[in-house]
């Protein structure tokens, strides 16, 4: 072991201490030790405390810590300044040599003392300066030093490049000329705070690049002091946070979009719910219609079959009775045909297949005919049917058959939903541009809650206990006919008082 150290370089004054905690026993001291400590290697081997005496008293604490850490089995290195005389100092580095067992330090094999003279120290300094410079130049961040006036003294290449400058272009220029105009005020405030404090200050500012780009930097800056404790400048390191900010913007943008998407989804969900309830309502109306229409079909069919069978089975039936039965059969068959026609009509109109067969005719004639058609029905219920129709001819250009169907439907309803011995009145007036027909009855009326839906197909007012048969198609058909003629229909009704329907149709020469 001893021989290993004989060939050590001159400036290496190695001292090897063999362990098992025997730190004080020196094994080898190179002869160059004399140059530093003034004692020969033999003298130091004989009395190691001679070295301790030369160590700066300020390092005693560090030395104690070093030995304590050795006792705990830690690997350790410590540097001490050794004062040779007033002008000469040198560095004493103590390095522990650990013995490992696996990854763990088993014990300290010994300590190497290395002594470096000033030359060596200088080389070390240069080396570390070189490394620092590499670090400075390769750093992605903006690193700079300002003088006491705020001018750039030093700026790293990459930092300058991030502002689209060469370092030379920035050196000597005032930092404020690189700050984005709108934030200059805020920058000055942050800078004043920085100068007032001696600790590191962090603040964000916006630089303006050579070609006018705004670049946000988060600056960590600290003032530098000279020997007289006066501010000699500022050292700062800045991290480009533009991309971070734009990422934050993107995140904000995305979360806004997310909120909007959620809003749309909830609106769509509500719409879907509404659609479902409309579909459910339609389905309900359809089911009701199917049951109503079955009933409506079955009643006339039952009497047709019944009366035909009676005629067929009774050959001795008197002629007038046969006639009477045939009349009923015919009436019921007509009712059936009307019903089927209504259903077909509404689907035709809705399917856009209706072709109006328009001609010029006197609407008053149609009104009179319609009244005569329903008179028998009114009389059967002892209803007074009165009409006030202008005597003159009033020409319209319309589908005569449809208009007839319209008034017949309305008059039938006025009778059907009337009370026994009630009244139905029809008032027609020529308003010159249009013709107005008002049909009023003294019937059961329509509850207010049903009014908004009354022109919907299949819609029927539910009157438990006093159900009047029907399909809910009549008013829907009336509305369709009016619409196709560019007319207008309004309905007013009060429960148990009666209903009034006002129909307006354009006159010939005033067709829309
Ligand atoms: P339907 O008469 O075949 O039931 P409508 O479409 O003609 O079908 O009428 C729809 C509903 O409006 C009827 O069920 C009825 O309750 C109500 N209604 C129509 N006209 C009158 C009226 N003049 N008085 C009271 N209720 C009426």
């Amino acid at each position: 072991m001893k021989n290993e150290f004989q060939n050590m370089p001159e400036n290496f004054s190695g001292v090897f201490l063999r362990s098992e905690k025997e730190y004080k026993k020196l094994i080898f001291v190179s002869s160059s030790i004399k140059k530093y400590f003034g004692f020969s290697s033999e003298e130091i081997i004989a009395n190691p405390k001679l070295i301790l005496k030369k160590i700066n008293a300020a390092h005693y604490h560090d030395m104690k810590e070093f030995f304590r850490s050795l006792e705990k089995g830690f690997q350790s290195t410590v540097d001490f300044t050794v004062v040779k005389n007033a002008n000469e100092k040198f560095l004493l580095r103590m390095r522990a040599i650990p013995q490992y067992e696996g990854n763990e330090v088993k014990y300290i094999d010994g300590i190497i003392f290395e002594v470096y003279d000033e030359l060596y120290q200088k080389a070390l300094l240069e080396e570390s300066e070189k490394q620092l410079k590499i670090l400075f130049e390769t750093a992605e961040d903006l690193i700079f030093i300002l003088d006491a006036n705020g001018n750039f003294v030093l700026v790293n290449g990459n930092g300058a490049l991030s502002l689209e400058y060469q370092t030379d272009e920035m050196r000597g220029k005032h930092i404020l000329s690189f700050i984005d105009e709108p934030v200059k005020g805020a920058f000055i405030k942050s800078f004043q705070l920085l100068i007032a404090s001696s600790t590191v200050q962090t603040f964000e500012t916006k630089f303006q690049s050579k070609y006018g780009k705004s670049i946000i930097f988060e600056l960590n800056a600290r003032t530098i002091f000279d020997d007289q404790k006066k501010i000699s400048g500022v050292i700062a390191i800045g991290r480009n946070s533009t991309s971070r900010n734009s990422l934050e913007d993107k995140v904000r943008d995305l979360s806004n979009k997310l909120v909007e998407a959620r809003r749309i989804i909830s609106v769509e969900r509500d719409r879907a719910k509404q659609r479902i309830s409309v579909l459910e309502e339609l389905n309900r109306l359809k089911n009701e219609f199917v049951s109503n229409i079955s009933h409506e079909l079955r009643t006339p069919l039952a009497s047709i079959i019944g009366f035909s069978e009676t005629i067929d089975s009774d050959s001795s039936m008197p002629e007038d009775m046969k006639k009477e039965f045939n009349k009923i059969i015919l009436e019921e068959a007509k009712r059936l045909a009307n019903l089927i026609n209504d259903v077909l009509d509404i689907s035709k109109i809705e399917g856009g297949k209706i072709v109006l067969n328009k001609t010029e005719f006197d609407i008053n004639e149609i009104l009179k005919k319609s009244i005569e058609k329903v008179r028998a029905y009114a009389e059967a219920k002892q209803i007074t049917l009165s009409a006030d129709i202008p005597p003159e001819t009033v020409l319209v250009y319309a589908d005569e058959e449809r208009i007839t169907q319209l008034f017949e439907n309305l008059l039938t309803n006025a009778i059907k939903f009337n009370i026994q011995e009630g009244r139905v009145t029809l008032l027609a007036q020529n308003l010159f541009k249009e013709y107005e027909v008002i049909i009023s009855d003294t019937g059961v009326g329509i509850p207010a809650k049903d009014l908004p839906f009354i022109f919907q197909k299949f819609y029927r007012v539910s009157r438990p206990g006093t159900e009047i048969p029907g399909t809910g198609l009549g008013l829907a058909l009336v509305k369709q006919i009016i619409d196709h003629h560019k007319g207008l229909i309004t309905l007013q009704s009060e429960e148990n008082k009666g209903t009034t329907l006002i129909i307006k149709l354009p006159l010939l020469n005033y067709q829309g």
Side-chain angles (χ1 to χ4, degrees):
M1 185 66 75
K2 199 172 175 177
N3 290 336
E4 281 176 39
F5 295 94
Q6 294 301 349
N7 302 323
M8 285 289 164
E10 258 302 282
N11 68 339
F12 177 84
S13 297
V15 179
F16 188 72
L17 296 178
R18 189 70 193 160
S19 171
E20 293 307 337
K21 297 191 180 170
E22 260 291 18
Y23 300 113
K24 283 156 205 158
K25 193 178 163 204
L26 295 170
I27 291 176
F28 166 81
V29 177
S30 75
S31 54
S32 59
I33 197 85
K34 189 150 191 194
K35 194 169 113 194
Y36 301 104
F37 288 92
F39 303 105
S40 70
S41 46
E42 289 75 19
E43 281 173 308
I44 290 175
I45 287 174
N47 185 8
K49 280 187 181 164
L50 291 174
I51 293 180
L52 285 179
K53 280 183 187 160
K54 289 286 181 182
I55 290 177
N56 196 335
H59 289 311
Y60 284 165
H61 175 72
D62 294 346
M63 174 133 339
K64 269 190 193 160
E65 278 299 306
F66 175 72
F67 280 106
R68 204 166 293 149
S69 72
L70 285 186
E71 274 153 27
K72 285 182 191 154
F74 297 144
Q75 180 184 1
S76 183
T77 298
V78 70
D79 290 336
F80 303 105
T81 313
V82 179
V83 184
K84 195 172 166 192
N85 54 49
N87 299 321
E88 280 183 280
K89 292 173 191 167
F90 58 89
L91 185 84
L92 173 67
R93 172 166 294 168
M94 292 165 83
R95 218 150 29 94
I97 309 167
Q99 281 301 320
Y100 290 98
E101 209 170 67
N103 282 335
E104 301 218 342
V105 177
K106 193 179 161 208
Y107 63 90
I108 300 295
D109 206 14
I111 307 164
I112 292 176
F113 285 49
E114 291 160 284
V115 180
Y116 301 105
D117 60 16
E118 263 179 319
L119 252 172
Y120 194 76
Q121 277 191 59
K122 218 170 137 200
L124 274 181
L125 205 70
E126 272 168 13
E127 181 59 23
S128 70
E129 261 178 16
K130 214 164 101 194
Q131 284 168 349
L132 208 68
K133 207 161 174 197
I134 292 170
L135 196 69
F136 182 71
E137 282 308 326
T138 53
E140 286 298 317
D141 294 331
L142 169 69
I143 306 170
F144 58 88
I145 295 176
L146 304 176
D147 64 15
N149 296 320
N151 298 320
F152 280 101
V153 177
L154 200 71
V155 56
N156 66 327
N158 282 342
L161 220 63
S162 69
L163 295 173
E164 296 166 325
Y165 286 104
Q166 297 293 323
T167 46
D168 290 348
E169 292 176 287
M170 293 182 77
R171 216 173 285 142
K173 298 221 178 87
H174 198 276
I175 187 166
L176 208 56
S177 59
F178 295 91
I179 301 295
D180 213 15
E181 198 60 44
V183 299
K184 274 187 178 163
F187 177 79
I188 292 169
K189 265 191 200 151
S190 306
F191 214 74
Q192 280 165 345
L193 279 176
L194 166 70
I195 286 167
S197 102
S198 56
T199 56
V200 173
Q201 298 288 307
T202 305
F203 58 96
E204 212 172 59
T205 193
K206 226 185 247 178
F207 279 79
Q208 195 179 50
S209 80
K210 189 170 173 179
Y211 302 111
K213 245 194 273 163
S214 288
I215 304 167
I216 303 164
F217 276 92
E218 190 187 75
L219 292 183
N220 285 293
R222 194 172 69 82
T223 43
I224 348 176
F225 298 92
D226 62 13
D227 290 345
Q228 276 88 50
K229 302 234 156 102
K230 268 174 63 190
I231 292 174
S232 64
V234 165
I235 181 162
I237 175 159
R239 171 139 298 182
N240 185 339
S241 54
T242 308
S243 57
R244 190 192 71 198
N245 282 10
S246 81
L247 270 179
E248 277 168 8
D249 282 351
K250 266 186 201 150
V251 168
R252 206 171 303 128
D253 190 42
L254 276 178
S255 66
N256 282 344
K257 279 192 182 137
L258 199 68
V259 169
E260 179 60 11
R262 283 211 187 106
R263 196 187 64 78
I264 291 171
I265 288 170
S266 98
V267 167
E268 285 303 320
R269 199 177 286 144
D270 286 351
R271 273 202 198 134
K273 260 190 216 154
Q274 273 171 18
R275 255 178 246 139
I276 288 168
S277 69
V278 166
L279 284 177
E280 279 171 356
E281 176 64 8
L282 278 177
N283 199 33
R284 192 188 64 75
L285 289 172
K286 191 199 79 190
N287 288 340
E288 207 177 288
F289 169 70
V290 170
S291 91
N292 283 341
I293 200 136
S294 313
H295 176 79
E296 287 289 296
L297 290 172
R298 210 178 291 127
T299 322
L301 261 183
S303 66
I304 290 170
I305 294 166
F307 283 109
S308 323
E309 275 175 354
T310 317
I311 295 170
D312 197 42
S313 60
D314 187 359
S315 51
S316 60
M317 185 183 279
E319 215 38 48
D320 52 345
M321 198 176 189
K322 232 188 235 173
K323 245 190 186 157
E324 180 65 23
F325 280 13
N326 269 333
K327 201 178 154 207
I328 297 172
I329 291 170
L330 194 66
E331 285 297 317
E332 292 297 328
K334 274 186 188 163
R335 212 175 122 191
L336 253 184
N338 278 339
L339 186 70
I340 291 164
N341 278 341
D342 271 4
V343 175
L344 289 178
D345 273 353
I346 203 111
S347 64
K348 224 197 267 174
I349 291 175
E350 289 210 322
K353 286 190 194 123
I354 187 174
V355 183
L356 292 180
N357 182 18
K358 283 189 177 180
T359 53
E360 221 180 279
F361 62 90
D362 179 7
I363 189 160
N364 285 338
E365 278 309 304
I366 296 299
L367 288 177
K368 283 177 207 157
K369 263 194 210 160
S370 303
I371 288 167
E372 286 326 304
K373 264 256 183 79
V374 299
R375 190 169 295 281
Y377 184 27
E379 279 167 5
K381 279 183 84 173
Q382 292 159 313
I383 285 165
T384 315
L385 188 59
S386 60
D388 185 354
I389 300 167
E392 75 267 17
T393 302
V394 176
L395 290 178
V396 292
Y397 182 67
D399 187 324
E400 192 175 333
E401 205 185 313
R402 296 283 173 200
I403 298 294
T404 310
Q405 190 181 15
L406 183 156
F407 287 116
E408 274 180 28
N409 257 335
L410 294 181
L411 286 167
T412 309
N413 274 352
I415 299 164
K416 185 162 125 184
F417 298 104
N418 217 320
I419 46 165
Q420 203 74 16
E421 296 176 22
R423 263 178 294 113
V424 173
T425 51
L426 185 148
L427 172 70
Q429 313 182 63
N430 188 349
L431 301 177
F432 302 103
K433 275 190 183 177
E434 54 192 11
Y435 202 61
E436 185 184 67
V437 181
I438 305 171
I439 301 171
S440 303
D441 65 62
T442 52
V444 292
I446 300 165
K449 67 170 176 51
D450 295 303
L451 286 175
F453 314 105
I454 208 72
F455 291 109
Q456 279 178 11
K457 67 177 169 168
F458 308 136
Y459 193 87
R460 305 188 67 240
V461 177
S462 147
R463 295 185 179 92
T466 56
E467 213 59 70
I468 305 161
T471 56
L473 286 175
L475 282 184
L477 202 58
V478 163
K479 178 84 168 69
Q480 299 269 16
I481 294 169
I482 296 267
D483 286 349
H484 273 83
H485 283 89
K486 299 197 168 69
L488 198 78
I489 181 163
T490 46
L491 186 148
Q492 294 158 5
S493 190
E494 211 176 319
E495 247 192 310
N496 301 320
K497 286 224 169 118
T499 303
T500 299
L501 279 135
I502 304 170
I503 300 103
K504 284 179 179 163
L505 282 169
L507 288 178
L508 182 74
N509 303 329
Y510 290 101
Q511 305 277 335

